[in-house]
Amino acid sequence: MGQKGRSIVKMDVDKLINLLNKALSDEWLAYYQYWIGAKVVKGPMKDAVIAELTLHATEELSHAELLSTRIIQLDGIPVLSPQEWFKLTNCGYDIPSDPYVEEILNQNIKGEQCAIKVYSGLLDITREADPVTYNIILSILTQEVEHEEDLSSLKEDLELMLERRK
Ligand code: FE
Ligand code: FE
Ligand code: MG
């Protein structure tokens, strides 16, 4: 443990660790939702959607990496069991039972919008209290904003294409 590193945090560190573990649970569920979505998705523009979903999966995993590293720096224990993910998650998990592209995109857009809300709240909490965590959260949030836009523009292309065919 970095004692000095932990001591400069001007908020309840255990509370912060819990919030980071909640976000870590979200990231693992988001990772799997993208990863399995890329496997099962069907319909027009499938290849472009698979490429984006697969990339986003790896980016969600990198967010899990950043969060778990920060939790350990703060002398916390990153969530150890997948069963805990469902107890801690903010954003939940949408089962991709309908594999149609638009439905998969909608589910993941909803997930990104939830992530943006959660990380935006974490920025407010850490801004003054913990600049190190703030910086990490800011880099994750920046990528979630990008994710939402990537998926929305794919959905827009899909709608335009289907519109033209009528
Ligand atoms: Fe993420
Ligand atoms: Fe994301
Ligand atoms: Mg992308």
Side-chain angles (χ1 to χ4, degrees):
M1 170 190 34
Q3 277 180 341
K4 191 68 182 170
R6 187 181 150 116
S7 77
I8 58 166
V9 177
K10 296 192 279 297
M11 65 177 284
D12 182 336
V13 179
D14 291 333
K15 192 185 151 208
L16 176 61
I17 289 166
N18 181 252
L19 293 171
L20 295 176
N21 261 322
K22 287 171 75 63
L24 176 59
S25 302
D26 287 333
E27 292 296 351
W28 272 103
L29 292 172
Y31 167 75
Y32 192 71
Q33 198 172 322
Y34 274 121
W35 184 87
I36 199 68
K39 307 289 179 205
V40 300
V41 68
K42 284 195 171 85
M45 292 178 47
K46 191 177 87 163
D47 291 343
V49 172
I50 289 173
E52 200 68 57
L53 298 179
T54 304
L55 177 63
H56 287 196
T58 67
E59 289 168 344
E60 305 306 359
L61 195 56
S62 78
H63 301 162
E65 183 72 41
L66 289 168
L67 292 166
S68 59
T69 301
R70 184 62 185 143
I71 290 166
I72 288 166
Q73 279 177 359
L74 291 167
D75 201 27
I77 301 168
V79 54
L80 294 176
S81 161
Q83 277 146 349
E84 295 289 310
W85 296 342
F86 283 98
K87 293 179 198 153
L88 292 169
T89 180
N90 302 290
C91 297
Y93 180 83
D94 276 339
I95 301 169
S97 42
D98 178 352
Y100 184 61
V101 265
E102 191 169 21
E103 194 48 39
I104 299 280
L105 288 173
N106 283 339
Q107 287 180 331
N108 286 300
I109 288 168
K110 189 178 139 221
E112 293 298 342
Q113 288 171 345
C114 179
I116 289 167
K117 195 172 140 225
V118 169
Y119 286 120
S120 169
L122 273 170
L123 278 191
D124 290 340
I125 292 167
T126 55
R127 184 172 285 111
E128 301 295 330
D130 182 3
V132 177
T133 298
Y134 177 88
N135 219 23
I136 292 163
I137 299 299
L138 181 59
S139 72
I140 297 176
L141 176 62
T142 304
Q143 204 154 46
E144 308 301 14
V145 167
E146 187 189 308
H147 287 172
E148 185 203 19
E149 205 280 326
D150 288 343
L151 299 179
S152 301
S153 78
L154 277 170
K155 192 182 158 184
E156 194 188 318
D157 288 352
L158 179 69
E159 281 162 358
L160 283 169
M161 192 191 70
L162 296 174
E163 197 59 34
R164 289 268 168 160
R165 279 191 180 173
K166 276 181 194 162

